[in-house]
Amino acid sequence: MSIIPIIGLSVGALGLLYAIYLARWVLRQNPGTEKMVFISNAIATGARAYLFRQYRTLSILLIILAVVIYVAVDMTKGLPGLTAIGFVVGALGSMLAGYLGMYVTTRSASRVAQAAADGGMGKALLVSWRAGAVMGLSLASVALLLISGFYLIFRSVTPGEWATPLVALGFGASLVTLFMRVGGGIYTKAADLGADLVGKIEAGIPEDDPRNPGVIADNVGDNVGDVAGMAADVYESYIVTVTAAIFLADILGLSSAYIEGVILIASLALIATFVGVNLLRTKNVKNPMSSISFAIYVTIALSIILFFAGVFALGLGVVEAIAMALSAALGAIVAPLVVKITDYYTSYNYRPVKEIAEQTKISPATVIVTGYGIGLTSAVPTLLVIVAVLGISYAIGFSAFHVTGFGSYGPYLAGIFGTALASVGLLAIAGIIITADSYGPVSDNANGVVEMAGLPESVRNITDVFDSIGNTTKATTKGYAVTSAALAALVLFIALMFEIMKSMAQILNQQLVSLLTGSASNTSIITQISIINPNVLVGAFIGVMIVYFFTSRTLTAVGRTAMEIAEEIRRQFREKPGILEWKEQPDYARVVDIATRRALREFLLPGLVVIVVPLATGFILGWQALAGLILGALVSGVPRALLMANSGAAWDNAKKYIELQGLKKTEQHKAAVVGDTVGDPFKDTSGPSLNPLIKVLNTLSVVFAFAIVSANVYMAIALTGLLPF
């Protein structure tokens, strides 16, 4: 047995222990006054209640799907339930990753606020950063533990059929993430929108004012959406990307050195993250963003150094080892590039957001138009980076790796594995990226606690800076998540094609290479996914329709839920006039309950569509239509996710820019608030939800590929007597 999976298990366990240590350190900090503790506990209670209700709702669907997978996949292939087990464990891991981070971050806000009051910016930065690190380290560690452990188990139990159950691990994680992203996104933005519409715009009270009945629900939403949702998103991207690379290496017949090299790259990056988390500069800090960026860049640089030092332990040739490290390093370099691009289009330090702020002098309409246009433009450089990475990593793999048994197709397939390694390099550094992301909602909640608890203006000045930087870190992480989704989906798409060919070869008792090259038939399997194939085009349009339906449904769900929340806040102001005069206590729990019930009701339909439609397409129209569906969703979904995430963040920071200029309660500020209100569901609901959607379509298709191909073959023979190719 190779030692590398053992290293993966050990590093994952060490990371989880370190996350527990940081959590205990954060929770030992001073939680502040009795009022601050009350507010923090209310947020934590609301977030926990929402997650548990969501998990209970999801558990029914997960049990049903696990049974379907067992019958359609495990029984058909003669596996001892491993695919169903992988699916369930992947789903439970996603739930655990979301809960662990949310547990600490919801209890950190009051501690960050008190740290700002006691120790200034440096102390507050350390507390908020370590709270975020609990999420980042938990996510990467749990993912690495599951991948390494299940790789060992599956290879031991079923040596010939272990790769598909490993992909099922990613399917379970993706599916739970999809529902967490949709439900959490609807919750957070509906609560935010309803609270802002009635509080800031109608009643004219400040954001996070304790008189607003929706303010606790808004802060709860920051955690269930931006912490639990984002954590689950990147966690499943991590698992999907790493398992897809392992799956692809296995199907291509690469040696175990290549397969386990994927686990080694993930382990080395997590070791680098341990170092990076501790390199945050907090003494005499004036610009927290510079300290955060320094920690991220050092982690990435150290990861790349470790990649080049570690791959030689795999026993590969010098050229292959260097190419493997270079491909992974290329992926790691993508992260700061995407972060910088996103920062440029979403930070008020640069021209695009200032241009939106200038439009507030004219009207809210021009604010919306300009922000939408900047969102469209922002997708272009990120897509160019993705294209460049695909091209360069493909060229590296084409030149250096050797895939045997596929004749002239070998070099092309080797190039695809190079791209898979670049995707792994990008996701391997997820721990430090999520640390920076989770810092955002912690800081946002801390700002709310300062306002609600009535702390001095000097403390608010510190948390205002943190809140603004948190908006930027959350925005940049969304860009990172979209990019990782695109690369992971492309790798999974290639893996799907080979799983289809492998399944067809098993059913027809042919060699895989004959289906690839066409030597056993008039055409090869590969040529059947040409764009001139009507089935592929039909599938592509279905994929685009899924993206548009999903986006529409999540946006309108926010509107419907926000309307009910706004009406409840108006009712409380109307029936309890003493609230605005500080004489009566708002009913926070009522608004939290409305947001929870509506979010859970609204998230089921779009989630079920993503499961049912691709399966129906594959079984009824055939695997070519399914391949087209995935391509259509990928090509339309990635640019739309970038557009929505970046335009929403740009509108948000344009409002911040106006406020920093001292223009609150002016017509300019009102115009900026309108833009921010429109942008909230863009950046925190619909845009981020497209990431897991793309990956659910892929992982679902890989897991059910054998069942779909079997149905296609037997249906074609029954109807025409001909094979479906």
Side-chain angles (χ1 to χ4, degrees):
M1 181 184 294
S2 172
I3 195 174
I4 290 176
I6 305 298
I7 292 174
L9 282 170
S10 302
V11 173
L14 184 62
L16 204 52
L17 289 173
Y18 188 34
I20 293 171
Y21 162 76
L22 290 178
R24 291 173 61 87
W25 183 90
V26 170
L27 296 177
R28 284 199 303 268
Q29 305 306 304
N30 185 355
T33 64
E34 184 177 341
K35 188 173 185 180
M36 293 165 68
V37 171
F38 168 79
I39 295 166
S40 183
N41 287 342
I43 295 170
T45 301
R48 185 175 62 250
Y50 172 79
L51 275 187
F52 283 174
R53 284 176 66 173
Q54 185 180 53
Y55 290 169
R56 284 199 300 271
T57 305
L58 272 177
S59 63
I60 300 170
L61 178 62
L62 293 177
I63 292 170
I64 294 171
L65 271 174
V67 173
V68 171
I69 290 171
Y70 177 74
V71 173
V73 181
D74 286 327
M75 289 182 66
T76 307
K77 286 190 169 188
L79 298 175
L82 294 185
T83 312
I85 292 171
F87 168 75
V88 171
V89 172
L92 292 175
S94 189
M95 293 178 177
L96 178 64
Y99 180 76
L100 284 176
M102 186 277 299
Y103 180 87
V104 175
T105 54
T106 52
R107 289 160 176 78
S108 303
S110 65
R111 290 167 168 83
V112 172
Q114 189 61 43
D118 294 340
M121 185 172 288
K123 178 67 172 178
L125 177 60
L126 182 62
V127 176
S128 57
W129 175 258
R130 288 192 166 184
V134 174
M135 181 74 268
L137 292 172
S138 299
L139 172 153
S141 300
V142 170
L144 186 57
L145 272 170
L146 289 179
I147 293 168
S148 302
F150 273 80
Y151 171 77
L152 286 172
I153 294 170
F154 291 162
R155 289 207 73 165
S156 301
V157 176
T158 54
E161 274 288 354
W162 57 269
T164 301
L166 202 61
V167 173
L169 200 69
F171 175 42
S174 297
L175 188 64
V176 168
T177 297
L178 178 71
F179 284 105
M180 288 180 70
R181 265 305 197 187
V182 173
I186 292 170
Y187 185 115
T188 182
K189 288 305 107 181
D192 193 2
L193 185 57
D196 283 354
L197 283 174
V198 182
K200 287 198 296 187
I201 296 177
E202 294 180 13
I205 59 178
E207 186 174 6
D208 295 319
D209 192 300
R211 292 172 292 177
N212 191 332
V215 74
I216 296 295
D218 184 10
N219 281 272
V220 168
D222 289 334
N223 290 281
V224 300
D226 289 332
V227 177
M230 175 58 82
D233 189 349
V234 179
Y235 160 84
E236 60 93 10
S237 288
Y238 189 115
I239 284 191
V240 165
T241 302
V242 175
T243 55
I246 293 173
F247 180 82
L248 189 60
D250 177 65
I251 278 190
L252 296 180
L254 292 171
S255 69
S256 59
Y258 287 99
I259 295 172
E260 294 175 2
V262 174
I263 297 175
L264 179 63
I265 288 168
S267 303
L268 294 173
L270 185 52
I271 292 171
T273 303
F274 298 159
V275 178
V277 163
N278 286 289
L279 290 180
L280 185 77
R281 296 177 297 190
T282 59
K283 289 185 178 180
N284 302 318
V285 61
K286 294 182 179 178
N287 183 0
M289 191 64 205
S290 296
S291 297
I292 293 171
S293 298
F294 176 77
I296 293 173
Y297 294 150
V298 169
T299 301
I300 294 171
L302 182 57
S303 296
I304 293 172
I305 293 170
L306 291 176
F307 292 163
F308 279 95
V311 291
F312 288 99
L314 297 171
L316 298 170
V318 174
V319 173
E320 290 86 350
I322 292 175
M324 196 169 195
L326 193 59
S327 297
L330 183 64
I333 292 170
V334 168
L337 290 177
V338 171
V339 165
K340 193 60 184 176
I341 291 169
T342 309
D343 185 36
Y344 174 75
Y345 284 102
T346 60
S347 171
Y348 56 65
N349 294 316
Y350 302 103
R351 185 185 61 80
V353 170
K354 290 180 179 179
E355 188 176 333
I356 297 173
E358 280 294 308
Q359 295 298 321
T360 60
K361 297 176 182 177
I362 303 174
S363 75
T366 55
V367 170
I368 302 299
V369 171
T370 304
Y372 194 86
I374 286 171
L376 288 168
T377 304
S378 71
V380 174
T382 303
L383 292 173
L384 288 174
V385 169
I386 293 173
V387 169
V389 170
L390 289 175
I392 297 171
S393 61
Y394 180 86
I396 293 171
F398 186 96
S399 305
F401 302 134
H402 303 287
V403 176
T404 59
F406 288 92
S408 60
Y409 278 86
Y412 298 100
L413 302 178
I416 292 168
F417 184 65
T419 298
L421 287 174
S423 304
V424 172
L426 174 62
L427 265 301
I429 59 168
I432 195 71
I433 301 295
I434 288 299
T435 295
D437 174 77
S438 298
Y439 156 88
V442 170
S443 302
D444 190 358
N445 279 191
N447 211 22
V449 169
V450 169
E451 177 71 33
M452 287 184 276
L455 296 184
E457 187 68 22
S458 58
V459 179
R460 181 66 191 239
N461 290 338
I462 294 173
T463 55
D464 265 339
V465 173
F466 282 9
D467 186 20
S468 176
I469 292 171
N471 285 336
T472 301
T473 60
K474 287 187 289 184
T476 54
T477 307
K478 290 181 176 72
Y480 171 83
V482 174
T483 305
S484 69
L487 291 176
L490 287 167
V491 174
L492 273 168
F493 179 75
I494 301 300
L496 171 63
M497 291 299 97
F498 277 88
E499 178 65 7
I500 287 171
M501 285 188 285
K502 181 181 175 184
S503 300
M504 198 167 288
Q506 290 174 346
I507 294 167
L508 303 177
N509 196 26
Q510 291 185 13
Q511 294 296 315
L512 180 60
V513 68
S514 69
L515 292 174
L516 176 67
T517 61
S519 60
S521 61
N522 293 327
T523 58
S524 72
I525 292 293
I526 293 295
T527 61
Q528 293 186 58
I529 56 169
S530 165
I531 59 171
I532 63 173
N533 185 326
N535 261 12
V536 175
L537 284 174
V538 168
F541 279 114
I542 294 173
V544 173
M545 284 190 288
I546 289 176
V547 169
Y548 275 74
F549 170 80
F550 195 85
T551 305
S552 167
R553 186 75 190 187
T554 50
L555 282 175
T556 53
V558 170
R560 285 191 294 270
T561 307
M563 183 169 61
E564 189 171 340
I565 289 172
E567 190 53 46
E568 170 60 22
I569 297 172
R570 292 189 187 106
R571 183 195 67 79
Q572 292 196 32
F573 283 161
R574 185 173 58 250
E575 296 179 4
K576 297 181 178 181
I579 290 176
L580 291 174
E581 299 173 4
W582 303 93
K583 295 178 180 178
E584 293 183 82
Q585 181 78 14
D587 186 354
Y588 301 120
R590 173 66 179 160
V591 182
V592 170
D593 183 64
I594 291 172
T596 300
R597 284 189 293 101
R598 289 293 310 212
L600 294 178
R601 189 187 312 165
E602 296 280 1
F603 85 158
L604 282 174
L605 180 60
L608 289 174
V609 164
V610 176
I611 298 170
V612 173
V613 172
L615 288 178
T617 300
F619 282 111
I620 297 171
L621 298 180
W623 67 265
Q624 299 97 330
L626 179 61
L629 181 152
I630 292 170
L631 281 176
L634 175 63
V635 172
S636 62
V638 170
R640 176 158 290 279
L642 290 167
L643 152 70
M644 301 189 84
N646 292 343
S647 58
W651 278 317
D652 191 349
N653 276 331
K655 182 200 72 173
K656 289 285 182 187
Y657 183 70
I658 293 293
E659 290 173 350
L660 288 174
Q661 291 180 316
L663 295 174
K664 280 188 176 182
K665 297 185 179 180
T666 64
E667 291 303 313
Q668 278 187 253
H669 187 247
K670 289 180 181 178
V673 168
V674 171
D676 179 35
T677 303
V678 172
D680 273 345
F682 269 48
K683 68 182 174 65
D684 290 326
T685 307
S686 298
S689 298
L690 292 174
N691 304 337
L693 179 148
I694 293 168
K695 285 169 286 188
V696 165
L697 293 175
N698 275 276
T699 52
L700 171 74
S701 302
V702 172
V703 169
F704 284 94
F706 187 84
I708 290 171
V709 169
S710 299
N712 292 169
V713 169
Y714 296 131
M715 185 181 296
I717 292 174
L719 294 176
T720 66
L722 300 174
L723 295 176
F725 58 86

